Amino acid sequence: MEQISLGTLIWMTVAAFLTLSIFSFLYRDNPFYRFAEHLIVGISAGYWIAILYHTSLTDLWIEPLVDSVSAFGAAGGSIPAKIGILLANLTPGVIGCLMFTRFFKSKAWISRWPIAYYLGISAGVALPLYIQSFVIRQVAANMFNPVIIYNTIVSDLSTLYYYGNSMMGIWTGIGDIIILLGCVCGLAYFYFSAEHTGVLGAAAKIGIWTLMIGFGATFGYTVMARISLLIGRFNFLIDWVSALGNYFNL
Amino acid sequence: MAAGFWNKMLNLDRRWVYLVIGAATFFPMLTVIRLPIKITPEVQSVYDRLESLPRGTIIMLPMEYSPDTMAELQPMAKAVLRHCFSRGIKVITTALQIQGVLLIEQDLRTVAAEFDKTYGEDYVFLGYKPYPDIVILNMGENFRKPFPKDYYNNNLDELPMMAGVNNYSNVDCIVNINATSGVDSWINNANGRYGAPLALGVTAVIATDYYAFLQSKQIFGLMGGLKGAAEYEKLIGRPKDIANRAMTSVSVAHIFIIIFIIIGNIAFFATRKRI
């Protein structure tokens, strides 16, 4: 590990202390854990405000507004056009400022306007795209042509029989069938307008198994994610100990 | 006698479980034992796509992770960046996750320095803007709409790499490294609205949610968690990098968790009262 400065080492030590403070909760709740917890909440809020101010408020609102005001002093351009640009740059800020009326009880209702505006725009923009990407495309992906699946499997089996090697098409075909079956049976489980008996009952049972396999896969991935985070912290602690050793020539 | 043992197991102090999992995770990190890693088709397809691009091609690599998820996604992002820079692929990056902006900027600089890459010619960092949906939609029209300036306050038109680069149609593909459900915004807007080819690198927790999009061909590749990162590191010929080293710990910890689950189930069935 390369030699690091004293400043970096001090900050690493602070980070290591906070990491160990958070870990200490595994034993029991304690003041070190609570200190670290409160610190991260406070720092996150401060950091968020600073980043938001520098990366959004200034270049998306304040600077364009200042430019449009100073344009009145510059030669060229029609006055109505300049007024139009000024209003276009002023309006978002004014709408945003209406949110602060929430602090005044009698005028709090005005804050609903920017919320309504934002919700309306968001819903209008998001809904058609959402339906396209998350519903129609997903439904379309489950519309398999049985003739194509049959042909894929049969041609692959004949290749296997005559030439001794498979193109894996058989597994693609079987995979498509499993996806189709799992999807239909999963939907059958959520059909509550008829009793789950007979064919519907059998389909619902396959559906619940499909769901359980899905949840199992998600659980496995979640465990891996949590272990990965633990590894990340352990890795940092190992780096910190090595940095300490290097700095003090231990 | 046996029931007494299983009762004890059921009432075992949870701190012993933490201790065992902690030890099972920590000690393999100190060893040189490496377990084999199999490359999955969904990670291979991301690699193949980038590998097939000629030098000078521009891709978009939005990196959206923060210190709490960097253990999983930082190795992945660095591996993809190293692959791009080693092949002369140019990269446009954003950081639409507010808490990760500085972290991502640092990662970008570190990897760029490894390959002697010049800012503005080989890579561009646009930084952060709020409301990812609106930002991603606007970038589909022109990068300059949400980002009139880059993270370092340069006008985009002043950067040589951005000359003639207006929107997603000017980049070959988007590889989104994302720790949150903000991934949906990329699928919805970049792919759904503008048809930009999209691949994902996500945390393991949400990886299963996005396999459906792989099957529907809305995304061309998927890297899930530390395993995805380890696979990518192996593909680019860096099997000694962090994710690969960590996978041994992951595997050992998983073995212990499986053992605990088996013990828990046996104890449950051995001690439950028959009605």
Side-chain angles (χ1 to χ4, degrees):
Chain A
M1 193 177 182
E2 62 186 80
Q3 189 73 34
I4 56 166
S5 66
L6 180 63
T8 309
L9 187 67
I10 290 172
W11 282 115
M12 281 182 83
T13 308
V14 172
F17 167 73
L18 292 172
T19 300
L20 293 172
S21 299
I22 293 288
F23 278 175
S24 69
F25 184 76
L26 294 174
Y27 185 71
R28 68 158 70 120
D29 195 7
N30 64 74
F32 291 108
Y33 168 75
R34 264 176 275 153
F35 168 72
E37 190 188 32
H38 285 81
L39 194 67
I40 195 166
V41 172
I43 285 179
S44 299
Y47 176 79
W48 199 89
I49 289 169
I51 291 277
L52 202 62
Y53 177 79
H54 288 291
T55 62
S56 306
L57 202 63
T58 46
D59 60 350
L60 288 182
W61 188 54
I62 295 173
E63 282 179 14
L65 190 62
V66 169
D67 288 347
S68 54
V69 170
S70 45
F72 283 95
S78 67
I79 293 294
K82 287 177 181 176
I83 292 172
I85 293 170
L86 176 67
L87 285 176
N89 286 325
L90 197 63
T91 311
V94 172
I95 293 176
C97 286
L98 293 180
M99 285 296 289
F100 292 107
T101 57
R102 291 180 74 85
F103 296 120
F104 309 100
K105 219 170 185 179
S106 63
K107 299 282 180 282
W109 58 272
I110 300 175
S111 67
R112 291 182 199 147
W113 288 1
I115 295 172
Y117 179 79
Y118 180 69
L119 282 180
I121 293 275
S122 305
V125 170
L127 271 179
L129 284 174
Y130 195 89
I131 290 169
Q132 168 68 19
S133 299
F134 291 84
V135 181
I136 294 173
R137 293 283 300 271
Q138 288 299 309
V139 170
N142 283 295
M143 289 181 180
F144 299 106
N145 186 337
V147 178
I148 293 177
I149 294 178
Y150 175 79
N151 286 341
T152 309
I153 293 174
V154 168
S155 69
D156 200 49
L157 280 176
S158 57
T159 314
L160 188 66
Y161 182 76
Y162 289 111
Y163 302 105
N165 62 338
S166 163
M167 300 298 286
M168 301 301 286
I170 186 168
W171 296 114
T172 310
I174 291 171
D176 288 349
I177 292 168
I178 290 172
I179 287 170
L180 186 62
L181 198 71
C183 180
V184 172
C185 293
L187 288 171
Y189 174 74
F190 289 103
Y191 184 73
F192 301 118
S193 298
E195 204 177 334
H196 285 185
T197 52
V199 176
L200 184 64
K205 200 155 252 179
I206 296 171
I208 193 77
W209 273 97
T210 309
L211 291 172
M212 287 300 154
I213 291 167
F215 294 150
T218 305
F219 174 73
Y221 260 120
T222 305
V223 169
M224 183 170 83
R226 301 303 177 232
I227 296 293
S228 305
L229 300 186
L230 184 62
I231 289 170
R233 284 297 81 196
F234 278 161
N235 227 358
F236 167 73
L237 290 175
I238 291 170
D239 283 349
W240 169 63
V241 171
S242 321
L244 276 178
N246 278 356
Y247 193 84
F248 294 109
N249 291 322
L250 297 174
Chain B
M1 175 71 183
F5 171 76
W6 292 119
N7 259 325
K8 247 185 203 168
M9 283 287 112
L10 272 186
N11 296 318
L12 187 72
D13 191 333
R14 62 190 161 81
R15 286 174 289 200
W16 286 109
V17 179
Y18 296 151
L19 187 68
V20 172
I21 295 298
T25 310
F26 181 74
F27 288 111
M29 293 173 77
L30 306 177
T31 67
V32 289
I33 301 166
R34 300 277 174 267
L35 297 175
I37 291 165
K38 189 176 172 291
I39 309 295
T40 50
E42 53 269 27
V43 177
Q44 181 77 48
S45 66
V46 181
Y47 174 82
D48 288 345
R49 173 115 191 185
L50 298 186
E51 189 69 11
S52 68
L53 298 178
R55 291 182 76 82
T57 309
I58 299 173
I59 70 150
M60 218 184 152
L61 184 65
M63 302 199 282
E64 289 154 33
Y65 54 86
S66 48
D68 55 339
T69 46
M70 66 187 271
E72 283 185 274
L73 297 185
Q74 192 183 47
M76 194 187 284
K78 282 186 170 178
V80 177
L81 267 177
R82 284 185 177 119
H83 188 203
C84 291
F85 287 155
S86 68
R87 293 200 37 83
I89 297 167
K90 300 181 178 192
V91 177
I92 300 173
T93 305
T94 56
L96 302 183
Q97 227 261 42
I98 194 162
Q99 285 178 318
V101 182
L102 291 178
L103 179 71
I104 285 155
E105 194 263 343
Q106 194 182 18
D107 289 347
L108 200 53
R109 263 192 298 121
T110 308
V111 180
E114 282 175 27
F115 293 87
D116 282 332
K117 295 294 173 184
T118 312
Y119 184 79
E121 288 177 18
D122 301 302
Y123 69 102
V124 166
F125 182 45
L126 299 178
Y128 171 82
K129 285 283 178 288
Y131 307 115
D133 271 304
I134 295 167
V135 175
I136 296 164
L137 259 183
N138 275 331
M139 282 196 292
E141 288 181 25
N142 198 319
F143 291 118
R144 288 154 189 82
K145 278 181 87 175
F147 295 101
K149 292 175 178 178
D150 68 358
Y151 178 76
Y152 305 104
N153 223 23
N154 303 306
N155 280 321
L156 291 201
D157 292 322
E158 291 168 4
L159 303 171
M161 194 187 120
M162 294 304 285
V165 177
N166 294 317
N167 53 40
Y168 300 135
S169 63
N170 302 117
V171 300
D172 179 82
C173 62
I174 301 170
V175 182
N176 180 216
I177 310 287
N178 206 318
T180 67
S181 56
V183 179
D184 292 353
S185 301
W186 287 97
I187 295 173
N188 217 2
N189 301 310
N191 177 264
R193 170 73 178 80
Y194 294 104
L198 179 68
L200 303 176
V202 294
T203 53
V205 173
I206 58 172
T208 46
D209 293 350
Y210 294 100
Y211 271 89
F213 296 97
L214 197 64
Q215 194 253 336
S216 65
K217 297 187 173 54
Q218 284 167 275
I219 56 173
F220 67 84
L222 177 65
M223 298 174 282
L226 204 61
K227 171 73 165 47
E231 287 177 45
Y232 210 91
E233 283 177 356
K234 194 178 169 189
L235 281 167
I236 61 168
R238 297 179 67 107
K240 287 182 181 171
D241 277 3
I242 177 83
N244 270 271
R245 282 187 277 129
M247 280 314 288
T248 307
S249 289
V250 170
S251 302
V252 174
H254 281 190
I255 289 168
F256 276 91
I257 289 167
I258 291 167
I259 291 170
F260 279 132
I261 290 173
I262 292 169
I263 290 174
N265 275 279
I266 294 172
F268 172 76
F269 286 109
T271 56
R272 76 171 175 176
K273 290 182 180 126
R274 291 184 189 282
I275 301 167

